[in-house]
Each structure stands twice: as C-alpha cells, then as structure tokens.
Amino acid sequence: YLNLTTAGNLGLGVTGASERLEVSGKAIFTDAVSVGQSSAPSGNNKLEVYNTSGNYNAVLKNSGQATLEVQGGENSSARIRLIPDEGDDVNNADHFQLIHETSNNFELQRYVVGSGWEWKWKLDSSNNVHQTGNLTVGGTATVTSWLYPNNGLSIPDSKKILLGNQSDLQLYHDGNNWIDANGAGDLY
C-alpha cells in the first residue's frame, strides 16, 4: 500500500502539478476508486473527466458483466445527465437526463429552456408506460390488452383497420368513400 499525504499538489508524470492530483499518461486502477471522503460527503463531490483534444469514450470493461452504478443519497433520486457540446450552456440548451426517483418511477426527462425539467417518458412503479408528445412506431406495434385512445384514432386515407384472425373485416377510407373489404358473413 502507498499512502501519500501532501498539503500541496501531487503530479505523476508531470512537473509543477496545478491540481491536487494531476496524472499525465495512462492510469490503471485494479480495484475500487473512491472520490470524496471516507464518510458521507458534505458537498457536491464528483468525478470529472476532461479531454480537450476531441472525443472521449468512457469504457467499463470487465471479463464478466460491467456495471455503472449511480446511487442517490438517502431519500434522493439517482440521475444520469446527457449534455451535448462542451456543456458550458447547460441552462440555455435542451439536454436529457435519466432519473430513478424514490417513488420507483424511471423517467427520461428533457430540460426545456424557460420551463425546466419535463418528463417525456416514464415507467411508473405499476409498470405503466407514459409518453408525452407524439410516438412514432416504424414497425408493428402489438397491443396485448385493451387500447384506450383518449383523443380518437387518426388513420390516413387508404390505410386499413384489420379485424379478425384472417383480416376478414377491413375498414378504410380511400379519400372519397369508406370501404368494407373482404367481408365474410353479414355486417350488422
């Protein structure tokens, strides 16, 4: 074990370190890395990684499962924020965060200038999914229970409503007339 105590800055691979710990080159840690204090931190301790030369990729690598764990304090939520560009205009640009609330809701939130944080997608503690805004499905959406549209269904001309195991009832509008196609049996 190596224990270094200094009242000044410590540099590894650098001379004249300008930070408490400044490392030049690759640093490999084979055990846990703790940032903060030995007891519960009293401030906003955080780990920040900077790279001014281009893209930076944070990689979690393990021979088994790699886990990024974010824990909130007692009775606090846990959040991961996604901020585009260099992040200097955090309160002036739209950005997103994933949040796990103490109420056991999982949300994708968007920061909207002038409005603050708004949830856009939520999985609540009863496993119900909530969505604000429009939802576009590029493939097939399969509904295994009831569908309750609050504001009706909007279906473009010539797009069909298919009913029955063999789609034996097809309802659609061709722009001029509504059509019942492939009807098997009587329509009452």
Side-chain angles (χ1 to χ4, degrees), residues 80-82 94-98 108-111 117:
I80 297 175
R81 286 201 177 146
L82 307 170
D94 293 345
H95 51 280
F96 290 88
Q97 70 180 359
L98 296 173
L108 172 62
Q109 297 180 339
R110 180 179 183 192
Y111 183 86
W117 288 103

Side-chain angles (χ1 to χ4, degrees), residues 50-171:
Y50 295 94
N51 182 356
T52 58
S53 62
N55 295 333
Y56 178 80
N57 295 318
V59 178
L60 297 175
K61 201 172 191 179
N62 191 358
S63 59
Q65 177 178 324
T67 302
L68 171 63
E69 185 172 307
V70 178
Q71 293 183 353
E74 186 67 28
N75 297 317
S76 297
S77 61
R79 302 165 190 250
I80 297 175
R81 286 201 177 146
L82 307 170
I83 303 171
D85 70 49
E86 73 281 2
D88 62 346
D89 52 350
V90 158
N91 294 319
N92 300 319
D94 293 345
H95 51 280
F96 290 88
Q97 70 180 359
L98 296 173
I99 181 170
H100 186 201
E101 303 232 342
T102 55
S103 59
N104 215 19
N105 291 337
F106 180 75
E107 299 181 9
L108 172 62
Q109 297 180 339
R110 180 179 183 192
Y111 183 86
V112 179
V113 176
S115 299
W117 288 103
E118 299 175 353
W119 69 267
K120 297 300 176 187
W121 182 89
K122 181 191 303 185
L123 175 64
D124 68 23
S125 59
S126 299
N127 291 327
N128 297 311
V129 176
H130 306 268
Q131 163 85 31
T132 61
N134 297 326
L135 175 64
T136 301
V137 178
T140 300
T142 301
V143 179
T144 58
S145 186
W146 292 97
L147 177 64
Y148 293 99
N150 290 334
N151 295 318
L153 289 174
S154 178
I155 301 172
D157 286 339
S158 300
K159 300 297 179 185
K160 299 177 181 180
I161 298 173
L162 306 175
L163 301 171
N165 290 340
Q166 284 74 39
S167 302
D168 41 356
L169 177 58
Q170 300 179 12
L171 299 174

